């Protein structure tokens, strides 16, 4: 039964479904659950820093259930979007409710969309990577697959990485710098990959061109079948989704820097270059994303066997709580700046 604990991640889309069905103030149920109730429960529940022993890790790798729990998110995410669009087309919602629906579905796109896509994007299977890219589409962040895998994991915790927040950089500044720099970086990486394989820019091998067409087609289809209100809804929900991703990026590496070696290269990514959290509920809902140091140490390592390291910097709160705190820069700086190693402060 303990293998089924990751079903808790599906509580996010369940809350969103309830909000769409019940309407009114319930449209805000998902953000309330994700950023109020989960943080409260994370504070009340004991930390869980335990790691699997080698035998347990081997068993978990053999258990396909952990993979299917990820795959299940694809029909859930798209099904929820379709249900929201259908409901909005036959029911009159006021502006207050529409904003609630945007926040709720946007939260699902972040947690069950982009977060799961991140896990699947590191897999070796073409089919799993395809599922990951499909989960990025509703957030208009398919370029994340290229920039994250070929950029972020190479440059994390360095000034060259747009997804690493600088010491004393506010979340609001980071949203802009990370979003735009990652997008342009993805094009630079794409052009490099094309050049290395002797492919032309305008060719079927240019993935970013395909991603752009898929995302544009998605918007056009929604507009054709669900009109302006549907178009605005999916566009706004997608933006909420990727802003939440960037908020997670912000807290994952805030202020942490790798040292430069005499050769001019940066030291290898170590356990002390990512912020971690062992707050139990946040770990489960985010498919162990909070054990971020181990993920960077070996990016192909599946979520169900990620380890916690004693020498990894630990956040005083879980990821959902930290996301909320980051929205208040003076409070965030007061809590986190003293935890950043002095030798990393530039």
């Amino acid at each position: 039964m303990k293998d089924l604990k990751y079903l808790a991640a599906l509580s996010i889309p369940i809350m969103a479904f309830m909000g769409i069905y019940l309407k009114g103030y319930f449209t805000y149920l998902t953000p309330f659950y994700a950023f109020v109730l989960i943080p409260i429960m994370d504070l009340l529940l004991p930390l869980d820093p335990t790691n699997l022993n080698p035998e347990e890790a081997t068993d978990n790798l053999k258990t396909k259930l952990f993979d299917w729990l990820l795959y299940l998110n694809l029909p859930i995410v798209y099904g929820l979007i379709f249900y929201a669009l259908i409901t909005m087309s036959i029911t009159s919602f006021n502006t207050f409710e529409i904003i609630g629906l945007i926040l709720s579905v946007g939260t699902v796109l972040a947690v069950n969309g982009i977060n799961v896509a991140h896990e699947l994007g590191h897999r070796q299977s073409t089919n799993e990577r395809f599922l990951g890219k499909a989960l990025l589409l509703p957030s208009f962040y398919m370029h994340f697959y290229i920039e994250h895998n070929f950029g972020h994991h190479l440059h994390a915790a360095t000034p060259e990485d747009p997804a690493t927040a600088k010491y004393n950089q506010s979340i609001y500044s980071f949203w802009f710098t990370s979003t735009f720099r990652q997008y342009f970086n993805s094009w630079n990486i794409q052009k490099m990959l094309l050049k290395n394989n002797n492919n032309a820019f305008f060719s079927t091998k240019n993935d970013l061109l395909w991603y752009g067409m898929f995302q544009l087609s998605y918007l056009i289809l929604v507009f054709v079948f669900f009109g302006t209100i549907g178009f605005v809804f999916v566009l706004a929900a997608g933006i909420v989704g990727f802003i939440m991703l960037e908020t997670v990026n912000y807290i994952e590496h805030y202020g942490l820097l790798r040292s430069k070696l005499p050769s001019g290269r940066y030291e290898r990514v170590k356990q002390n270059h990512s912020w971690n959290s062992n707050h139990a509920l946040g770990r489960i809902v985010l498919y162990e994303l909070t054990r971020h140091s181990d993920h960077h140490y070996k990016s192909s390592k599946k979520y169900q066997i990620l380890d916690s390291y004693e020498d990894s910097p630990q956040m005083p709160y879980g990821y959902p709580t930290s996301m909320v705190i980051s929205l208040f820069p003076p409070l965030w700086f007061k809590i986190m700046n003293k935890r950043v190693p002095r030798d990393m402060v530039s």
Side-chain angles (χ1 to χ4, degrees):
M1 290 297 293
K2 65 180 181 179
D3 292 348
L4 295 175
K5 65 183 179 180
Y6 295 107
L7 283 172
L10 301 185
S11 61
I12 302 291
I14 288 173
M15 293 296 170
F17 175 84
M18 291 173 60
I20 298 168
Y21 181 77
L22 296 173
K23 307 175 183 59
Y25 288 102
F26 288 101
T27 56
Y28 290 83
L29 184 60
T30 310
F32 178 76
Y33 171 72
F35 299 110
V36 178
L37 292 184
I38 288 181
I40 290 173
M41 288 187 279
D42 259 345
L43 287 172
L44 296 176
L45 294 171
L47 298 179
D48 182 14
T50 57
N51 295 326
L52 300 175
N53 62 47
E55 184 178 331
E56 290 172 326
T58 300
D59 289 341
N60 276 9
L61 282 176
K62 293 178 181 177
T63 304
K64 292 297 293 181
L65 172 66
F66 294 107
D67 294 330
W68 281 101
L69 288 173
L70 296 179
Y71 308 156
L72 185 60
N73 285 279
L74 185 69
I76 287 175
V77 166
Y78 279 93
L80 188 69
I81 294 170
F82 185 69
Y83 175 57
L85 288 169
I86 288 290
T87 304
M88 292 176 69
S89 67
I90 62 177
T91 305
S92 178
F93 286 93
N94 60 39
T95 304
F96 172 80
E97 292 173 305
I98 292 174
I99 293 173
L101 292 179
I102 288 170
L103 294 174
S104 290
V105 173
T107 303
V108 174
L109 294 183
V111 176
N112 303 85
I114 300 176
N115 182 46
V116 175
H118 163 255
E119 172 72 21
L120 293 173
H122 283 291
R123 301 292 177 87
Q124 300 302 310
S125 164
T126 301
N127 290 335
E128 288 181 307
R129 291 200 298 267
F130 173 81
L131 293 178
K133 294 170 188 176
L135 283 167
L136 291 171
L137 190 154
S139 292
F140 316 109
Y141 238 55
M142 295 183 77
H143 63 279
F144 173 82
Y145 170 78
I146 291 177
E147 208 290 325
H148 182 83
N149 288 280
F150 298 98
H152 176 64
H153 273 266
L154 179 64
H155 300 295
T158 73
E160 283 76 21
D161 178 39
T164 295
K166 299 175 183 177
Y167 185 82
N168 269 340
Q169 181 179 16
S170 76
I171 182 67
Y172 304 106
S173 164
F174 180 79
W175 283 347
F176 286 97
T177 59
S178 183
T179 300
F180 287 105
R181 283 183 64 199
Q182 282 194 71
Y183 182 72
F184 290 117
N185 272 12
S186 67
W187 276 106
N188 291 332
I189 294 169
Q190 179 67 87
K191 287 187 284 187
M192 179 190 68
L193 294 173
L194 290 169
K195 182 180 179 180
N196 291 344
N197 291 284
N198 296 315
N199 292 312
F201 181 84
F202 292 104
S203 72
T204 58
K205 299 298 183 181
N206 189 329
D207 289 340
L208 280 179
L209 289 180
W210 284 110
Y211 299 162
M213 286 190 289
F214 292 150
Q215 290 167 168
L216 182 60
S217 297
Y218 167 68
L219 283 172
I220 292 172
L221 283 172
V222 170
F223 179 75
V224 169
F225 288 101
F226 299 100
T228 303
I229 189 68
F231 177 88
V232 172
F233 168 73
V234 297
L235 180 63
I239 292 171
V240 169
F242 76 68
I243 285 178
M244 286 191 182
L245 160 71
E246 294 300 350
T247 304
V248 171
N249 279 339
Y250 178 81
I251 68 174
E252 282 177 334
H253 300 282
Y254 172 78
L256 302 178
L257 289 172
R258 286 149 61 188
S259 299
K260 224 171 193 180
L261 303 174
S263 64
R265 298 170 65 91
Y266 288 101
E267 63 177 319
R268 181 182 177 182
V269 177
K270 298 177 182 176
Q271 292 93 325
N272 63 332
H273 293 129
S274 303
W275 291 102
N276 292 258
S277 165
N278 283 312
H279 291 77
L281 191 55
R283 275 184 51 199
I284 295 170
V285 170
L286 292 173
Y287 296 101
E288 304 293 355
L289 180 69
T290 66
R291 291 191 162 185
H292 208 59
S293 288
D294 199 21
H295 168 69
H296 269 277
Y297 184 70
K298 190 173 183 181
S299 61
S300 61
K301 196 171 183 180
K302 292 187 175 182
Y303 74 96
Q304 67 266 29
I305 61 168
L306 289 175
D307 289 324
S308 174
Y309 297 104
E310 289 184 4
D311 54 347
S312 295
Q314 298 295 319
M315 307 197 81
Y317 305 103
Y319 268 34
T321 308
S322 299
M323 291 172 70
V324 174
I325 294 173
S326 72
L327 300 178
F328 305 92
L331 179 60
W332 172 261
F333 297 149
K334 183 177 181 180
I335 293 172
M336 294 302 298
N337 281 5
K338 60 188 177 185
R339 290 176 166 81
V340 177
R342 293 300 93 191
D343 61 339
M344 293 188 183
V345 178
S346 56

